[in-house]
């Protein structure tokens, strides 16, 4: 049998995945902070605040799942990773499609 190759943070692909995941998490958190601080302004109100928070939650779950791919696979890690990725993707896509 062929041994499985896992993404590892010391490989180039693993570093890129980890970097993009961390950039995504930080970007989502900073954007959520800006939305929270300026929630009373007309621009944020026009953007439908509540739906944006749902989208932020879904994106945070997706980016967190990418970071979890760097961990050693186990039953708990795989279950949490799969749950975060599927929940985040469905939450984000459903909110965007429901908004249209």
């Amino acid at each position: 049998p062929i041994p499985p190759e896992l993404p590892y943070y010391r490989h180039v692909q693993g570093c890129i995945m980890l970097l993009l995941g961390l950039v995504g998490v930080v970007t989502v958190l900073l954007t959520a902070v800006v939305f929270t601080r300026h929630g009373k302004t007309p621009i944020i109100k026009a953007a439908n605040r509540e739906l944006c928070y749902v989208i932020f939650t879904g994106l945070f779950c997706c980016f967190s799942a990418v970071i979890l791919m760097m961990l050693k696979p186990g039953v708990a890690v795989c279950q949490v990773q799969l749950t975060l990725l599927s929940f985040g993707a469905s939450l984000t896509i459903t909110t965007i499609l429901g908004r249209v």
Side-chain angles (χ1 to χ4, degrees), residues 26-71:
V26 169
T27 303
V28 168
L29 289 177
L30 288 176
T31 308
V33 167
V34 168
F35 262 67
T36 304
R37 278 190 165 173
H38 302 289
K40 305 274 188 224
T41 61
I43 294 175
I44 302 296
K45 286 181 181 179
N48 205 344
R49 237 182 341 210
E50 291 77 17
L51 286 179
C52 288
Y53 290 134
V54 174
I55 292 172
F56 293 153
T57 304
L59 289 174
F60 181 79
C61 290
C62 289
F63 285 123
S64 298
V66 171
I67 294 172
L68 283 178
M69 287 183 191
M70 296 295 117
L71 296 177

Side-chain angles (χ1 to χ4, degrees), residues 6 68 71-81:
L6 304 170
L68 283 178
L71 296 177
K72 185 177 180 182
V75 174
V77 172
C78 289
Q79 287 178 346
V80 169
Q81 178 185 344

